[in-house]
Amino acid sequence: MSLPTPGGRVVSAVIWLALALFGASACTTLDEIDCASADGYLVGFDDGTAGYGANRVKSYQDACAAADAEADLEAWQAGYEDGLVHFCTPAAGITEGSKGRVRPDVCPADLEAGFQAGFRLGREIYDINQAMQDIEREIRAQQARLSGGVLADTLKNDARARLRNLESEYDRLARELRLLELRADRLSRQ
């Protein structure tokens, strides 16, 4: 896959990815030194691939003003729009949702459906992971109660039954999580 540059040259997607990753470390937080030499297109591309809103351009403008340099807003906008194409994918939606993030409202209409489908699936994965963590904590608490040795036999039986129920629920959630991960893998390949 190849992508056009602002000057019309074609560059492979691998090179763009490398530039974006380098740009993420070099340009995400512009300071006075960076802005004078920063490529507005790459700054915008980096902001788009990170899923920032269009208001992120204000940070670029402010950094450039502080450095007494002029922000190249046209280049930033072109880079930003190209970056959103890489962000607004089902795979990125899965990543964002599975981290429990709030769904950003940055995707163009033609890319929104795919991103949204991925985000919903990622959010389901996140929710199940959270539920499993809660169960793990409760399992540890029940095991601690049982190992304490001061519980009456009736309470020990109740704690053991509760522990079995928790383990059963954990196993059910683990199976559901695996199915969601398989769906996510298929969706991210589209």
Side-chain angles (χ1 to χ4, degrees):
M1 178 172 149
S2 297
L3 301 170
T5 64
R9 293 174 302 205
V10 175
V11 178
S12 79
V14 173
I15 292 173
W16 275 116
L17 180 59
L19 288 171
L21 292 174
F22 173 76
S25 63
C27 298
T28 299
T29 305
L30 289 173
D31 59 24
E32 294 178 20
I33 298 168
D34 293 326
C35 187
S37 62
D39 178 336
Y41 178 86
L42 290 178
V43 173
F45 185 83
D46 191 38
D47 290 345
T49 57
Y52 288 114
N55 61 348
R56 177 76 170 183
V57 72
K58 180 85 169 98
S59 297
Y60 174 51
Q61 288 175 304
D62 291 347
C64 289
D68 203 23
E70 189 171 332
D72 186 347
L73 300 181
E74 272 187 41
W76 183 91
Q77 185 65 38
Y80 178 73
E81 290 171 7
D82 288 347
L84 285 179
V85 170
H86 293 277
F87 177 76
C88 297
T89 64
I94 292 166
T95 299
E96 293 294 302
S98 66
K99 291 180 180 177
R101 295 191 175 144
V102 174
R103 189 183 67 79
D105 189 20
V106 298
C107 295
D110 61 325
L111 300 174
E112 178 64 27
F115 180 85
Q116 180 65 22
F119 187 86
R120 278 192 308 270
L121 185 55
R123 194 56 199 225
E124 286 182 64
I125 290 169
Y126 174 80
D127 291 342
I128 287 178
N129 277 318
Q130 293 302 303
M132 289 174 73
Q133 288 175 13
D134 291 344
I135 289 172
E136 287 170 354
R137 279 190 289 278
E138 194 169 344
I139 286 173
R140 284 191 299 274
Q142 291 297 328
Q143 289 170 335
R145 284 183 71 200
L146 285 168
S147 67
V150 293
L151 292 179
D153 286 341
T154 306
L155 292 177
K156 281 186 179 183
N157 287 338
D158 290 345
R160 284 186 191 110
R162 177 70 181 141
L163 188 58
R164 282 191 301 275
N165 288 338
L166 288 168
E167 289 169 342
S168 176
E169 178 63 6
Y170 186 89
D171 290 343
R172 185 191 68 75
L173 288 172
R175 287 188 301 273
E176 188 175 338
L177 179 61
R178 182 67 186 133
L179 291 174
L180 288 172
E181 288 170 340
L182 289 171
R183 282 180 45 209
D185 186 52
R186 282 192 302 272
L187 183 61
S188 67
R189 292 176 192 222
Q190 293 180 350

